[in-house]
Amino acid sequence: MHFNRVLFCGLTFLFFNLNAQSPKTSDPSAIYHAIEKLNFLGSALYVAAHPDDENTRLISYLSNHEKARTAYLSLTRGDGGQNLIGPELRELLGVLRTQELLAARRVDGGEQFFSRANDFGFSKHPDETLAIWNKEMILADVVRTIRSFKPDIIINRFDHRSPGTTHGHHTASAMLSMEAFDLASEKNAFPEQLNTTDPWQPKRIFFNTSWWFYGSQEKFEAADKTNLLAMDIGVFYPMLGKSNNEIASLASSQHLCQGFGRLTSRGSEQEYVELLKGSLPKDKSNLFEGINTTWSRVAGGEAIGRLLEEVEKNFNFKDPSVHIPALTRAYALLQEIDDEHWKRIKSSELKEIIAASMGLFMETASTVPYANPGASVAVDISLLNRSKVPAVLSSLTINGQDMLGEDVNLGANMPMEKEIILKIPSNTTYTSPYWLMEEGTLGTYAVADKTLIGMPETPRAFVTTFHLRINDITIPFEHPVVYKYAKPDKGERYQPFEIVPEATASVADKVIIFSNGNTKSINVLVKAHEDGVAGELELKAPNDWAISPSSKTFQIGKKGDEQTLVFQVTPPAVESEATLVPELNINGKKIDKELINISYDHIPSQTVLMPAKAKIVRLDIEKAGQHIGYIMGAGDDVPTSLEQIGYHVDLIDPNTITENSLEAYDAVVLGIRAYNVVEALKFKQKFILDYAENGGTVVVQYNTASRWGKQFENIAPYPLAISRDRVTDENSEVRIIARDHSLMNFPNTISQTDFNGWVQERGLYFPDSWDAAFTPILEMRDADEDWKKGSLLVAPHGKGHYIYTGLSFFRELPAGVPGAYKLFSNMISIGKDKIETTDQMKG
């Protein structure tokens, strides 16, 4: 899929390809905007639970109207949600959503932080959330962020006073923020952090409220607004040529895997915040009222402020480089102040402004996308001064290694180009998201290096520092080493330069189902990441699983080539679950990681190293029917899972459905949220229901309520009302209330044990009312709630059957949950009387 956009960043409009880390370019209006922000010394932290929870309108307003340094702290990376654009789920979805948040911040001008909290799925109460997250650990992360970022104001997206009324993660994020607001200034709170941070007390904390939290516009209008502050976040920025809500729309549209691409909004629009703690501003349109946000808040800053305010007042839009003498003097003065916090922040901002004003182009591009520890890589260095301001390159280092040797005068528009050989130290850490490098828990990620906590991504392995002497002042400019290449259909492209193992191995299917005791051939793919790699691959499993041979040698000549090694795996005679692990041995180095690349045009390419493993399951399962038609919805891996137990699955393009075209199938299954996302179904619904009426079986998996047009008011042959009911505890009690129904007995007998070992949840978006033609099969509930009977409903329709289920098969089948496979087989088999033999099922 392709998502190229022209985006807005906190410094400037950046015309670059988000698939990579290509050079920034800017125009004078953007430079002036950055100088305005340089002269504002105030910070705001926005706090919520997930990617897409943030209010991009307010973040953009704070960053671009108030000119404040603004950040979003998302406690999780959104690992527990769904993916509308690809196959990534769980940890990989968290990586994708992390990058979409960073893309959004490049648009609205904010920064991004995270805690170690894992999005384990929907939670109905903050008590559950905080217990699973480990409250003290995540509270420590929020305190750490406040102490490091030092916000003057904090804004919570959610209300800490309403536990149990919304997603538990939402309320928990606000509760933790409120507690951290007080603890961040206490020296006795998390004292281990004070080795790298200082106590900090924000001035105010707000709740970003709206009429929605009051229940209606009428109730909001009548409410006491004494502690409410209002802002018009539809303000237009003439210098940028965009309004604030236009920028915000572009930012929120970066959350593509959640289907958040939306139309741009314009015009006046009110935003409200409610004061929770701190002094109420006298000027209710100014969140920073009474807070010193000038250079005078920093000892020694007034002289810097005078220089920079003069630049802002007399800014030369035709030639910003005329301000370089003042900008470099300000930089030199900035290095003399004692306030390390503001020195670091404003030095970084000032360096970007100097580089933009001089038209500096600095790049270090590898000739290959990745390398191995101990390898040598050719790197092209380019430096160009496109102004008339004299400059000298006095030093050039990569991770501290000097690559220059002598000074280089940078003449106006005269490129300096140099090719070097970069030696990758043998102890260089592989590139991968830092929060996935160790095994975590259900609720939290494990991070060994505490200095990384809060960072959105792993720092790049290699960074070039260009030391430029400008007006006798030496300024270091840092740029990560990147990989640059060209594609005939897209032109110049960039992506991060990565460090990877010499080779990696993977099993194609992450769950392998043995539906009988027969031996299966298992393919293990070995991929080389250097030339001439050779070694041994051992395939490991518990002793009751037989593997032949136990190991094989491999030899691959060229980087990027692959070799498939085939092993014979025989399951035990009884039902069993185990883990299959391929481990490489290359010159005594053991590698048990799989390399996964996440590539979309709206984010930089991501390299992820995950444990190389597959779940193997021996189960006794029977089925009736063989040929399934599957209509994909929002994206799931159910078709692959069904093929694991011997079904033949065809993916049906809804546009090709015609009268009687479905007759060849034993069942037609609709993927998750199909009616929410597949427009063509509104024209094909009649044929699907006719297929059931003529004797077929239709299985519809969960859809979200109120997200289809009037044409889908009846997605079933009989009235069916979908609610927001769900059961989030995957271990909750399940009762079989239609014990004698065929769904519980044919061709597999379903018992209570078949609901053991489920993952993340039981199900979601259950119907809460239905026609008498439907038979509810199960009932279930979360603790202290009423029993819900809408998780699995079946109705006869003509000669066939219609089944609607909110059970989360899209999670359970890819996770290899045996009972879920048996139940799904029964759904497909309904109305049939012939059981396939195990030999027929081998498929």
Side-chain angles (χ1 to χ4, degrees), residues 270-281:
Q270 292 294 306
E271 193 72 46
Y272 298 90
V273 295
E274 175 191 356
L275 181 71
L276 300 176
K277 290 183 180 180
S279 58
L280 183 69

Side-chain angles (χ1 to χ4, degrees), residues 61-112:
Y61 180 87
L62 291 168
S63 177
N64 300 302
H65 182 270
E66 298 295 333
K67 309 298 190 295
R69 182 183 181 226
T70 308
Y72 174 41
L73 169 58
S74 176
L75 295 193
T76 77
R77 296 176 186 266
D79 322 64
Q82 287 90 52
N83 183 358
L84 296 184
I85 63 173
E88 294 84 9
L89 290 174
R90 292 303 310 154
E91 296 92 345
L92 297 180
L93 179 60
V95 174
L96 172 57
R97 289 189 172 182
T98 292
Q99 291 301 317
E100 290 188 334
L101 269 179
L102 289 171
R105 299 295 79 77
R106 285 190 286 268
V107 176
D108 59 33
E111 300 177 40
Q112 185 63 51

Side-chain angles (χ1 to χ4, degrees), residues 682-725:
K682 68 183 178 183
F683 306 110
K684 307 297 181 177
Q685 177 74 347
K686 176 184 183 301
F687 299 132
I688 294 172
L689 296 182
D690 286 349
Y691 160 77
E693 188 172 18
N694 292 329
T697 297
V698 172
V699 179
V700 177
Q701 297 177 82
Y702 96 91
N703 285 262
T704 55
S706 304
R707 291 195 179 183
W708 50 73
K710 289 184 178 179
Q711 68 275 10
F712 288 139
E713 286 180 355
N714 292 311
I715 64 171
Y718 314 106
L720 180 74
I722 298 173
S723 71
R724 300 183 68 86
D725 287 350

Side-chain angles (χ1 to χ4, degrees), residues 66 158 265 342 349 458 551 604 656 662 668 675 696 738 785 794 829:
E66 298 295 333
F158 300 105
S265 62
W342 285 112
E349 293 179 12
T458 307
S551 65
T656 66
L662 303 176
V668 171
Y675 289 105
E785 291 189 351
V794 58
S829 302

Side-chain angles (χ1 to χ4, degrees), residues 46 48-55 72 74 157-158 170 255 260:
Y46 199 88
H50 311 105
D52 85 1
D53 282 346
E54 82 275 25
N55 184 341
Y72 174 41
S74 176
R157 182 59 172 132
F158 300 105
H170 293 168
H255 296 296
F260 267 46

Side-chain angles (χ1 to χ4, degrees), residues 129-309:
T129 298
L130 295 172
I132 294 175
W133 275 354
N134 183 339
K135 178 189 173 184
E136 285 301 298
M137 180 184 291
I138 307 308
L139 177 61
D141 291 356
V142 180
V143 169
R144 182 189 296 270
T145 301
I146 293 172
R147 287 172 170 173
S148 300
F149 186 72
K150 301 188 186 310
D152 295 306
I153 63 173
I154 295 176
I155 302 175
N156 292 340
R157 182 59 172 132
F158 300 105
D159 190 352
H160 68 288
R161 300 160 295 194
S162 57
T165 62
T166 184
H167 197 325
H169 297 183
H170 293 168
T171 311
S173 71
M175 294 169 66
L176 291 171
S177 179
M178 287 290 289
E179 193 169 346
F181 178 85
D182 295 323
L183 289 178
S185 63
E186 297 290 335
K187 292 184 178 181
N188 294 329
F190 310 109
E192 70 282 358
Q193 297 179 3
L194 300 181
N195 295 324
T196 54
T197 64
D198 298 311
W200 180 256
Q201 180 58 63
K203 301 298 189 295
R204 301 180 181 117
I205 185 168
F206 299 95
F207 162 45
N208 183 195
T209 190
S210 71
W211 69 263
W212 187 89
F213 290 97
Y214 287 77
S216 69
Q217 288 277 12
E218 292 75 19
K219 290 181 180 179
F220 179 68
E221 293 299 328
D224 179 9
K225 297 184 177 60
T226 302
N227 287 333
L228 260 60
L229 284 72
M231 295 144 285
D232 182 357
I233 53 83
V235 61
F236 180 69
Y237 304 124
M239 286 290 177
L240 304 179
K242 288 187 181 294
S243 64
N244 187 77
N245 37 14
E246 285 180 285
I247 294 169
S249 297
L250 288 171
S252 63
S253 289
Q254 301 312 305
H255 296 296
L256 295 176
C257 75
Q258 301 184 72
F260 267 46
R262 63 186 179 94
L263 294 173
T264 302
S265 62
R266 300 169 181 84
S268 181
E269 189 175 352
Q270 292 294 306
E271 193 72 46
Y272 298 90
V273 295
E274 175 191 356
L275 181 71
L276 300 176
K277 290 183 180 180
S279 58
L280 183 69
K282 295 178 182 178
D283 177 0
K284 286 193 172 184
S285 66
N286 182 5
L287 300 183
F288 290 91
E289 195 264 342
I291 300 171
N292 185 0
T293 58
T294 72
W295 277 99
S296 65
R297 81 178 291 174
V298 176
E302 290 185 353
I304 302 170
R306 285 192 294 270
L307 279 170
L308 296 177
E309 287 160 10

